Amino acid sequence: MKKTMDAQKRIALIAHDNKKRELVDWCVKHRDVLSRHFLCGTGTTARLVADAANLPVKAYKSGPLGGDQQVGAQIANGEIDVLIFFSDPLEAQPHDPDIKALVRISTVYDIPMANNRATADFLITSGFMSSPYEHEVIDSEGNADERAERMKEH
């Protein structure tokens, strides 16, 4: 099923504790571009970005308290277009299953995802950030109907 992202993207911002400062600095650096989009993020990250970059950022719960799952649900509902998630690969995370689920759902719904500064720089400077973008996404209702029909046959 084709879906078109609007020129104004809905961007989720997430960072592990050891990467929050890096994400905040990145957001301040790219404030002009980010100000043209709708921003959301998990708990502390959302507040830190909002304060440092002086940008409105809708805050979900903290990642370990369900914020990663809230963002994942918004992706599945087609309410988030881009995920910027500065993850810390060198430290174990107590909510690692939630993180893996978030990365998985971002992949399933074919949304751009940056896990580090270099990828985020490439993404934010892409011409697609300021124009509509059409991509192929899973038709979740059609998929459920097909699976139900197959189950009836067995």
Side-chain angles (χ1 to χ4, degrees):
M1 166 173 116
K2 297 257 186 222
K3 181 178 186 277
T4 302
M5 292 180 196
D6 294 332
Q8 182 184 37
K9 305 297 186 282
R10 297 161 299 181
I11 303 171
L13 303 167
I14 302 174
H16 287 146
D17 287 348
N18 290 341
K19 296 291 185 169
K20 287 188 191 319
R21 175 79 310 190
E22 186 177 349
L23 179 63
V24 167
D25 292 346
W26 183 86
C27 289
V28 169
K29 177 181 176 184
H30 295 286
R31 184 192 184 292
D32 289 343
V33 174
L34 292 171
S35 69
R36 294 180 231 140
H37 302 282
F38 172 79
L39 306 176
C40 63
T42 52
T44 308
T45 302
R47 280 191 294 277
L48 290 170
V49 170
D51 291 347
N54 195 27
L55 292 167
V57 184
K58 176 182 177 167
Y60 291 104
K61 293 182 181 191
S62 172
L65 299 178
D68 296 328
Q69 292 179 343
Q70 287 180 301
V71 170
Q74 292 300 325
I75 291 168
N77 288 332
E79 299 297 322
I80 291 177
D81 302 312
V82 175
L83 175 62
I84 307 291
F85 183 178
F86 282 19
S87 58
D88 184 355
L90 301 178
E91 186 168 311
Q93 302 298 324
H95 60 296
D96 192 55
D98 298 339
I99 296 162
K100 286 180 179 168
L102 179 59
V103 170
R104 180 185 167 281
I105 206 76
S106 299
T107 304
V108 166
Y109 284 91
D110 193 35
I111 69 162
M113 175 178 43
N115 291 92
N116 58 39
R117 180 186 292 266
T119 308
D121 284 344
F122 273 76
L123 201 110
I124 200 78
T125 59
S126 166
F128 292 122
M129 283 302 295
S130 60
S131 64
Y133 176 75
E134 186 174 270
H135 64 130
E136 196 74 32
V137 296
I138 288 176
D139 175 7
S140 56
E141 288 181 30
N143 184 281
D145 291 344
E146 287 175 23
R147 291 184 64 187
E149 285 302 315
R150 283 197 308 269
M151 295 289 191
K152 287 180 190 177
E153 294 169 4
H154 291 96

Short mmCIF file of all heavy atoms in Angstrom, two decimals, residues 51-79:
data_model
loop_
_atom_site.label_atom_id
_atom_site.label_comp_id
_atom_site.label_asym_id
_atom_site.label_seq_id
_atom_site.Cartn_x
_atom_site.Cartn_y
_atom_site.Cartn_z
N ASP A 51 14.06 22.37 25.81
CA ASP A 51 14.72 23.45 26.56
C ASP A 51 15.95 23.98 25.83
O ASP A 51 16.11 25.19 25.68
CB ASP A 51 15.14 22.97 27.96
CG ASP A 51 13.94 22.71 28.87
OD1 ASP A 51 12.81 23.13 28.52
OD2 ASP A 51 14.14 22.06 29.92
N ALA A 52 16.82 23.10 25.36
CA ALA A 52 18.09 23.53 24.75
C ALA A 52 17.90 24.14 23.37
O ALA A 52 18.57 25.12 23.04
CB ALA A 52 19.06 22.35 24.67
N ALA A 53 16.99 23.58 22.57
CA ALA A 53 16.82 24.05 21.19
C ALA A 53 15.66 25.04 21.07
O ALA A 53 15.42 25.58 19.99
CB ALA A 53 16.61 22.87 20.26
N ASN A 54 14.94 25.24 22.16
CA ASN A 54 13.77 26.12 22.17
C ASN A 54 12.78 25.71 21.07
O ASN A 54 12.36 26.54 20.26
CB ASN A 54 14.19 27.58 22.03
CG ASN A 54 13.06 28.53 22.39
OD1 ASN A 54 12.18 28.18 23.18
ND2 ASN A 54 13.07 29.71 21.79
N LEU A 55 12.46 24.42 21.05
CA LEU A 55 11.52 23.85 20.08
C LEU A 55 10.39 23.13 20.82
O LEU A 55 10.63 22.55 21.87
CB LEU A 55 12.24 22.82 19.19
CG LEU A 55 13.29 23.32 18.22
CD1 LEU A 55 14.10 22.15 17.67
CD2 LEU A 55 12.63 24.09 17.10
N PRO A 56 9.19 23.17 20.26
CA PRO A 56 8.11 22.38 20.88
C PRO A 56 8.34 20.89 20.60
O PRO A 56 8.55 20.51 19.45
CB PRO A 56 6.85 22.89 20.19
CG PRO A 56 7.31 23.48 18.90
CD PRO A 56 8.73 23.93 19.10
N VAL A 57 8.32 20.09 21.64
CA VAL A 57 8.52 18.64 21.51
C VAL A 57 7.46 17.95 22.38
O VAL A 57 7.46 18.12 23.59
CB VAL A 57 9.93 18.20 21.96
CG1 VAL A 57 10.12 16.70 21.72
CG2 VAL A 57 11.02 19.00 21.26
N LYS A 58 6.58 17.20 21.75
CA LYS A 58 5.58 16.44 22.51
C LYS A 58 6.30 15.33 23.24
O LYS A 58 7.04 14.55 22.64
CB LYS A 58 4.53 15.86 21.58
CG LYS A 58 3.52 14.99 22.31
CD LYS A 58 2.51 14.37 21.38
CE LYS A 58 1.61 13.47 22.19
NZ LYS A 58 0.44 13.06 21.47
N ALA A 59 6.08 15.23 24.54
CA ALA A 59 6.77 14.22 25.35
C ALA A 59 5.89 13.01 25.62
O ALA A 59 4.73 13.15 26.03
CB ALA A 59 7.22 14.84 26.67
N TYR A 60 6.44 11.84 25.37
CA TYR A 60 5.83 10.59 25.79
C TYR A 60 6.48 10.18 27.09
O TYR A 60 7.34 10.89 27.62
CB TYR A 60 6.02 9.51 24.71
CG TYR A 60 5.23 9.79 23.46
CD1 TYR A 60 5.87 10.27 22.30
CD2 TYR A 60 3.85 9.60 23.41
CE1 TYR A 60 5.13 10.54 21.15
CE2 TYR A 60 3.12 9.87 22.27
CZ TYR A 60 3.76 10.33 21.15
OH TYR A 60 3.04 10.61 20.01
N LYS A 61 6.17 9.01 27.60
CA LYS A 61 6.79 8.52 28.83
C LYS A 61 8.27 8.24 28.59
O LYS A 61 8.72 8.12 27.46
CB LYS A 61 6.10 7.24 29.30
CG LYS A 61 4.67 7.48 29.73
CD LYS A 61 4.02 6.22 30.23
CE LYS A 61 2.58 6.57 30.61
NZ LYS A 61 1.93 5.51 31.33
N SER A 62 8.99 8.11 29.66
CA SER A 62 10.39 7.71 29.58
C SER A 62 10.47 6.34 28.91
O SER A 62 9.56 5.51 29.07
CB SER A 62 10.96 7.64 31.00
OG SER A 62 12.25 7.08 31.00
N GLY A 63 11.55 6.10 28.16
CA GLY A 63 11.71 4.83 27.44
C GLY A 63 11.47 3.60 28.30
O GLY A 63 10.64 2.75 27.96
N PRO A 64 12.16 3.46 29.44
CA PRO A 64 11.99 2.27 30.27
C PRO A 64 10.59 2.15 30.89
O PRO A 64 10.19 1.09 31.33
CB PRO A 64 13.04 2.44 31.38
CG PRO A 64 14.03 3.39 30.83
CD PRO A 64 13.27 4.30 29.90
N LEU A 65 9.83 3.26 30.89
CA LEU A 65 8.49 3.24 31.48
C LEU A 65 7.39 3.14 30.42
O LEU A 65 6.23 3.42 30.70
CB LEU A 65 8.28 4.50 32.34
CG LEU A 65 9.25 4.65 33.52
CD1 LEU A 65 8.99 5.94 34.27
CD2 LEU A 65 9.13 3.45 34.46
N GLY A 66 7.78 2.78 29.21
CA GLY A 66 6.79 2.57 28.16
C GLY A 66 6.85 3.56 27.01
O GLY A 66 6.10 3.42 26.05
N GLY A 67 7.73 4.53 27.08
CA GLY A 67 7.83 5.54 26.03
C GLY A 67 8.22 4.97 24.67
O GLY A 67 7.69 5.38 23.63
N ASP A 68 9.15 4.01 24.67
CA ASP A 68 9.55 3.36 23.41
C ASP A 68 8.35 2.67 22.77
O ASP A 68 8.15 2.72 21.56
CB ASP A 68 10.67 2.34 23.63
CG ASP A 68 11.96 2.97 24.14
OD1 ASP A 68 12.22 4.13 23.77
OD2 ASP A 68 12.69 2.30 24.87
N GLN A 69 7.53 2.04 23.60
CA GLN A 69 6.34 1.36 23.10
C GLN A 69 5.31 2.36 22.59
O GLN A 69 4.63 2.10 21.59
CB GLN A 69 5.74 0.46 24.17
CG GLN A 69 6.64 -0.72 24.49
CD GLN A 69 6.08 -1.61 25.58
OE1 GLN A 69 5.19 -1.22 26.34
NE2 GLN A 69 6.61 -2.82 25.67
N GLN A 70 5.19 3.51 23.26
CA GLN A 70 4.26 4.54 22.79
C GLN A 70 4.68 5.04 21.41
O GLN A 70 3.84 5.20 20.52
CB GLN A 70 4.21 5.71 23.77
CG GLN A 70 3.48 5.41 25.05
CD GLN A 70 3.48 6.61 25.96
OE1 GLN A 70 4.54 7.11 26.36
NE2 GLN A 70 2.30 7.09 26.31
N VAL A 71 5.98 5.28 21.24
CA VAL A 71 6.48 5.74 19.94
C VAL A 71 6.25 4.64 18.89
O VAL A 71 5.81 4.94 17.77
CB VAL A 71 7.97 6.14 20.03
CG1 VAL A 71 8.56 6.38 18.64
CG2 VAL A 71 8.13 7.39 20.89
N GLY A 72 6.51 3.40 19.25
CA GLY A 72 6.28 2.29 18.32
C GLY A 72 4.82 2.23 17.89
O GLY A 72 4.53 2.00 16.71
N ALA A 73 3.90 2.42 18.82
CA ALA A 73 2.48 2.41 18.48
C ALA A 73 2.14 3.54 17.52
O ALA A 73 1.36 3.36 16.57
CB ALA A 73 1.64 2.51 19.75
N GLN A 74 2.76 4.71 17.72
CA GLN A 74 2.51 5.85 16.82
C GLN A 74 3.05 5.56 15.42
O GLN A 74 2.45 5.95 14.43
CB GLN A 74 3.13 7.13 17.39
CG GLN A 74 2.45 7.63 18.65
CD GLN A 74 0.99 7.96 18.44
OE1 GLN A 74 0.59 8.42 17.37
NE2 GLN A 74 0.18 7.69 19.44
N ILE A 75 4.17 4.86 15.35
CA ILE A 75 4.71 4.46 14.04
C ILE A 75 3.73 3.51 13.36
O ILE A 75 3.39 3.68 12.19
CB ILE A 75 6.11 3.82 14.19
CG1 ILE A 75 7.13 4.89 14.62
CG2 ILE A 75 6.55 3.16 12.88
CD1 ILE A 75 8.47 4.33 15.07
N ALA A 76 3.25 2.51 14.09
CA ALA A 76 2.32 1.54 13.53
C ALA A 76 1.02 2.21 13.09
O ALA A 76 0.38 1.76 12.13
CB ALA A 76 2.03 0.43 14.54
N ASN A 77 0.63 3.28 13.76
CA ASN A 77 -0.59 4.01 13.40
C ASN A 77 -0.36 5.04 12.30
O ASN A 77 -1.28 5.77 11.93
CB ASN A 77 -1.17 4.71 14.63
CG ASN A 77 -1.78 3.74 15.61
OD1 ASN A 77 -2.25 2.68 15.22
ND2 ASN A 77 -1.76 4.09 16.88
N GLY A 78 0.89 5.11 11.79
CA GLY A 78 1.18 6.07 10.73
C GLY A 78 1.32 7.50 11.21
O GLY A 78 1.21 8.44 10.42
N GLU A 79 1.58 7.69 12.50
CA GLU A 79 1.66 9.03 13.09
C GLU A 79 3.09 9.56 13.24
O GLU A 79 3.28 10.68 13.69
CB GLU A 79 0.96 9.04 14.45
CG GLU A 79 -0.52 8.69 14.39
CD GLU A 79 -1.33 9.68 13.59
OE1 GLU A 79 -1.05 10.89 13.67
OE2 GLU A 79 -2.23 9.25 12.85
#
